Amino acid sequence: MVAYLVIREGSKWTDVFRLIPGRTVTIGRAPTNQIVVKDERCSRHHAEIFLTQGQWTLRDLDSRNGTILEDKPVRGDVELQPGHVILIAHAQLAFVDDLSAAFPESVVNKAARAAKDIDEETVGSASDDSSVLSALEPPTITHRKGQTKFLEQPLDEEDSTTPRVGKAATKLCRLAFELANRPDVHSVANLALSGLLESTQVDAGAVLLLPRDFEGAPEGNDLEIIASQAESEPAYHRISNFLATTVLREGEAVLARNVEDDSMLSVKDSKGELHATSILCAPVRQGRIVVGLIHLYATSSAKVPDPDDLEFTLAVAENVALALKNLNRQQELAENITIRQDEIVQLRERLGAESEIVGSSAPMGKVHQEVERAAPSRATVLIRGESGVGKELVARAVHYASPRRKGPFVCLNCAALSETLLESELFGHERGAFTGATERKIGKFEAAHDGTLMLDEIGEMSPSIQAKFLRVLEGHPFERVGGSESVEVDVRVIAATNRNLEKDVSEGAFRRDLYFRLHVLEIRVPALRKRTSDVIELAHHFLHRFNAETGRRLRSFTAEALDRLQQYRWPGNVRELKNVIERAVVLARGEEIEVSDLLLSNLATAGDTGEIPTVGHGYEPTTLAEMERRHIRATLQSTGGNKSRAASILGIERSTLDRKIRRYQLDIDLTRRGNKT
């Protein structure tokens, strides 16, 4: 049995509620009710209507002010009949089973035309239920509007058709929009005051806020006047401490009238000539915390603020609080951006400093010149040199001297990864592309967009990866592993290798077309033994660096230590020198680094150091490969199988050591005796 409640509030029909069998309808002030009556006289859960034994029944839920049915209080359960009118606070609910019976004739006619033009305030009806419901819920667009009328200017104060509440809502809507666009606290406060003095029965006021970093229980004297206004002389006078403290602690807005003779509420000027007749005070709250007040008062008996003015002031205070919160957030974001920008600048400066190539020898002078020539170009650069000479450092120098210096510098060692992992690292992969691919990952090419990608050990790249890599170098888009989406990037590639690529090309281990594509510009970095004059300069550079990192204050090197550094052949090049100095800084006991603090590798006697062993007692002719195999084995023995330590002593990368262990088929059990990290 379907029925309806036609709801009337004041002089207007506001809603039509359909009653459905099996569903209990609750009526009350709480927003959880199906029908909400916004009146303080209405209880939170006031009454309910339900269907029992085929009859719709009304029940009062022990409400404070009672439920009236046909001018009689409801006691217990009462059956509803068509035409019954239920009175709850100011709301009237007409119970009908035929909507046409609930409306006057004039309204019926409006309902018949509702499909064309629905009245904004009246719920109409027609001759039957279906026509009325279709009118209430039209299937087509009935109105179009470019801007809300609440933002239109000017507002006609003389318009008698618009109630005071509607005008206040319009003003508040405009004020809220304007407050949200103010750039600072003072402009927010002044705009709010202007709107309040225009819209309420007061003639002076101020916005007062607690200091941003205030802690503890606030009092009125802690407030700072942000802005004040007065329609005429005398100027604004500060709120009484008693009233300010009360509102700060209670967090509730206050309206006080006839306060001239109240010493706790009234305000006077220095001459005692100012007498406030009425006072408004509203808290500015952010969450549950009161951060300030809006203080308003009238000095003339002609202006008497009422509860509606208090409501309006409180609403403005809430909007002021929101505007201040947004400003604080904007300020925090701006400060964070500034901090991050400073950090980026510092990081770039640090990276640039770390990219500085140390060395004033003639061979390094040539490297500097080649870097300067290569940097402005977009061409691919091939950096060649032994392991440990600083090929990555040269690549960084090219990047930070190029127009791409503000873009990312991304580095990848091709020898450290398997073919599958290398492809994923270079080009990225999609979720589910392979076991363990739980999410999308962008590759180094995407990460280096608008910057530089350095690929170390380019000669270790497999033929299949070489083919895909070449296609990207030629400007073609690529797809992530397991994906079909084309990805285009703008990346400058710098390749590095210690291999003889020409030999690899002739043997078919490296693509000829890729070699020519990479070999556009070439920079050769000399071994450290070929620029011995740079050793001392580099040693002091690393000493200064590791002093700063470790907090040591070592002054320099002894003369014997410097002499030893220059005599050594440095098979591991600059990387080995760096490791030797770092170890010496940590181990040195005096104020200077001594010879005993320099732990140098015995590779200085091997053939790859540049020193030629003397033929004599104990000398056994052998190949360089066999000599290298023996030396690597001896170094692993001395470190107890610790590959990382062995690689550091040998002056080579860990991945290079692993590759040589496999090449020479060294005893695997040897490498497991110690820590292999």
Side-chain angles (χ1 to χ4, degrees):
M1 177 182 177
V2 178
Y4 303 90
L5 289 176
V6 182
I7 304 170
R8 182 185 181 102
E9 295 187 20
S11 61
K12 301 176 183 177
W13 297 104
T14 60
D15 201 359
V16 176
F17 193 92
R18 186 183 183 191
L19 300 175
I20 301 175
R23 297 183 184 179
T24 298
V25 178
T26 60
I27 307 168
R29 180 163 47 85
T32 54
N33 294 285
Q34 283 79 20
I35 298 176
V36 179
V37 179
K38 297 180 179 179
D39 193 318
E40 290 295 328
R41 295 170 295 174
C42 179
S43 300
R44 289 182 57 81
H45 302 286
H46 198 103
E48 63 181 10
I49 298 175
F50 54 93
L51 185 69
T52 177
Q53 298 180 354
Q55 183 66 46
W56 288 102
T57 303
L58 171 66
R59 176 186 296 167
D60 183 82
L61 299 176
D62 296 323
S63 64
R64 181 177 60 187
N65 294 312
T67 303
I68 307 299
L69 178 65
E70 296 297 301
D71 299 327
K72 297 180 180 180
V74 175
R75 309 291 185 191
D77 295 345
V78 179
E79 295 182 355
L80 293 173
Q81 301 296 328
H84 276 174
V85 176
I86 306 166
L87 181 63
I88 297 177
H90 71 282
Q92 301 176 50
L93 295 84
F95 176 82
V96 297
D97 55 5
D98 183 357
L99 285 176
S100 62
F103 300 93
E105 182 63 25
S106 60
V107 180
V108 173
N109 295 332
K110 290 184 179 181
R113 302 191 301 269
K116 182 177 181 181
D117 185 15
I118 298 180
D119 185 79
E120 295 181 353
E121 297 181 341
T122 304
V123 178
S125 77
S127 59
D128 58 12
D129 295 356
S130 61
S131 63
V132 171
L133 293 177
S134 64
L136 294 174
E137 301 178 0
T140 59
I141 297 174
T142 59
H143 296 76
R144 292 182 181 272
K145 191 91 168 144
Q147 182 178 345
T148 173
K149 65 180 182 181
F150 295 136
L151 299 180
E152 295 174 352
Q153 295 287 349
L155 180 65
D156 187 3
E157 296 288 348
E158 303 299 326
D159 183 10
S160 60
T161 61
T162 304
R164 182 183 178 187
V165 173
K167 294 178 181 179
T170 301
K171 292 179 180 179
L172 183 62
C173 181
R174 294 177 185 174
L175 190 59
F177 273 89
E178 293 177 8
L179 286 172
N181 293 316
R182 293 292 163 165
D184 55 67
V185 175
H186 293 283
S187 62
V188 167
N190 278 303
L191 177 62
L193 287 175
S194 297
L196 287 166
L197 266 61
E198 178 185 347
S199 305
T200 59
Q201 296 296 308
V202 297
D203 49 27
V207 176
L208 305 94
L209 298 178
L210 293 170
R212 188 175 179 182
D213 55 350
F214 182 84
E215 295 181 356
E219 296 185 358
N221 294 330
D222 298 320
L223 292 165
E224 298 176 356
I225 298 178
I226 305 302
S228 63
Q229 294 183 18
E231 291 183 351
S232 61
E233 295 292 337
Y236 168 79
H237 284 254
R238 188 181 180 93
I239 185 174
S240 71
N241 186 62
F242 168 78
L243 182 58
T245 303
T246 300
V247 176
L248 282 172
R249 294 183 177 179
E250 298 296 330
E252 294 183 344
V254 173
L255 168 62
R257 287 179 280 194
N258 301 318
V259 300
E260 292 106 320
D261 299 326
D262 193 322
S263 61
M264 305 293 287
L265 299 176
S266 62
V267 290
K268 298 180 179 181
D269 67 3
S270 59
K271 298 180 180 180
E273 296 175 351
L274 175 66
H275 296 275
T277 58
S278 302
I279 295 174
L280 286 167
C281 189
V284 179
R285 297 173 295 206
Q286 293 185 351
R288 297 182 178 180
I289 301 175
V290 179
V291 298
L293 303 175
I294 293 180
H295 175 225
L296 307 171
Y297 60 82
T299 60
S300 171
S301 58
K303 291 188 175 183
V304 182
D306 57 22
D308 287 340
D309 291 325
L310 183 65
E311 289 278 358
F312 188 83
T313 304
L314 185 58
V316 173
E318 296 292 342
N319 281 279
V320 167
L322 183 59
L324 295 179
K325 183 179 179 180
N326 291 334
L327 286 175
N328 289 336
R329 182 58 177 162
Q330 291 175 14
Q331 184 177 351
E332 291 175 358
L333 290 173
E335 292 173 352
N336 289 336
I337 291 174
T338 302
I339 293 172
R340 297 294 179 265
Q341 289 175 338
D342 292 341
E343 290 177 350
I344 291 172
V345 171
Q346 294 173 6
L347 180 60
R348 292 190 183 280
E349 290 177 351
R350 190 176 73 183
L351 290 173
E354 292 180 356
S355 301
E356 181 182 355
I357 302 174
V358 179
S360 54
S361 63
M364 290 309 297
K366 183 178 179 181
V367 172
H368 283 288
Q369 293 175 0
E370 292 172 345
V371 168
E372 292 176 0
R373 287 196 295 266
S377 170
R378 295 173 56 91
T380 305
V381 180
L382 179 62
I383 303 175
R384 311 183 76 161
E386 297 179 7
S387 180
V389 295
K391 295 187 291 293
E392 182 178 341
L393 194 67
V394 174
R396 288 183 180 274
V398 172
H399 170 74
Y400 286 105
S402 74
R404 296 173 176 264
R405 67 178 65 89
K406 294 184 178 180
F409 177 83
V410 181
C411 188
L412 178 65
N413 191 323
C414 300
L417 301 169
S418 65
E419 179 179 337
T420 303
L421 289 178
L422 179 58
E423 184 179 13
S424 174
E425 285 294 320
L426 278 174
F427 308 110
H429 64 252
E430 297 289 350
R431 180 180 180 182
F434 49 82
T435 303
T438 58
E439 58 184 14
R440 170 185 283 186
K441 176 184 177 181
I442 65 171
K444 300 301 183 185
F445 265 109
E446 287 184 80
H449 181 61
D450 289 334
T452 303
L453 174 62
M454 187 231 177
L455 297 177
D456 200 7
E457 303 288 354
I458 191 71
E460 306 296 330
M461 191 178 285
S462 68
S464 60
I465 303 297
Q466 290 179 31
K468 190 171 182 179
F469 176 55
L470 175 61
R471 181 171 175 80
V472 178
L473 279 183
E474 291 176 341
H476 296 283
F478 61 90
E479 295 82 34
R480 304 182 188 94
V481 178
S484 57
E485 179 186 353
S486 295
V487 180
E488 295 187 22
V489 294
D490 180 14
V491 174
R492 183 184 190 178
V493 173
I494 298 178
T497 184
N498 60 0
R499 294 176 63 98
N500 187 338
L501 290 184
E502 291 78 9
K503 181 180 178 184
D504 291 343
V505 170
S506 64
E507 293 177 353
F510 198 83
R511 292 180 64 101
R512 184 180 299 273
D513 47 3
L514 178 57
Y515 169 78
F516 288 119
R517 187 65 182 82
L518 293 174
H519 199 223
V520 179
L521 298 174
E522 181 180 287
I523 300 177
R524 288 187 177 268
V525 186
L528 185 56
R529 63 180 175 272
K530 296 182 180 180
R531 54 183 182 111
T532 55
S533 61
D534 292 333
V535 171
I536 303 303
E537 185 177 353
L538 283 165
H540 282 98
H541 170 78
F542 290 130
L543 174 63
H544 176 75
R545 174 177 171 181
F546 293 123
N547 266 340
E549 291 183 3
T550 61
R552 301 292 303 272
R553 296 183 178 181
L554 299 175
R555 295 183 302 184
S556 184
F557 301 84
T558 63
E560 294 80 6
L562 291 176
D563 187 58
R564 183 72 180 96
L565 290 173
Q566 282 190 304
Q567 290 180 0
Y568 187 64
R569 299 292 293 176
W570 300 109
N573 292 294
V574 180
R575 182 187 292 116
E576 184 185 6
L577 175 60
K578 173 186 173 185
N579 294 336
V580 167
I581 302 302
E582 183 178 13
R583 187 186 301 114
V585 170
V586 175
L587 299 178
R589 297 182 178 179
E591 295 182 351
E592 294 183 324
I593 294 177
E594 301 178 356
V595 175
S596 59
D597 300 321
L598 303 175
L599 302 180
L600 302 176
S601 170
N602 57 7
L603 269 178
T605 61
D608 61 346
T609 66
E611 297 180 349
I612 301 175
T614 304
V615 179
H617 181 72
Y619 174 72
E620 180 182 353
T622 186
T623 64
L624 289 175
E626 178 62 21
M627 189 175 290
E628 185 180 48
R629 189 189 73 81
R630 292 177 182 177
H631 186 73
I632 292 175
R633 181 179 178 84
T635 304
L636 286 169
Q637 287 177 332
S638 68
T639 62
N642 189 315
K643 293 183 181 180
S644 295
R645 277 189 64 196
S648 178
I649 293 173
L650 294 170
I652 60 178
E653 296 282 355
R654 167 69 183 271
S655 59
T656 303
L657 177 60
D658 288 334
R659 189 167 62 253
K660 291 181 181 295
I661 290 174
R662 293 192 299 269
R663 179 188 300 171
Y664 295 131
Q665 298 180 351
L666 295 176
D667 187 5
I668 302 301
D669 292 335
L670 174 67
T671 64
R672 296 176 179 171
R673 294 177 185 172
N675 183 9
K676 298 190 291 178
T677 59

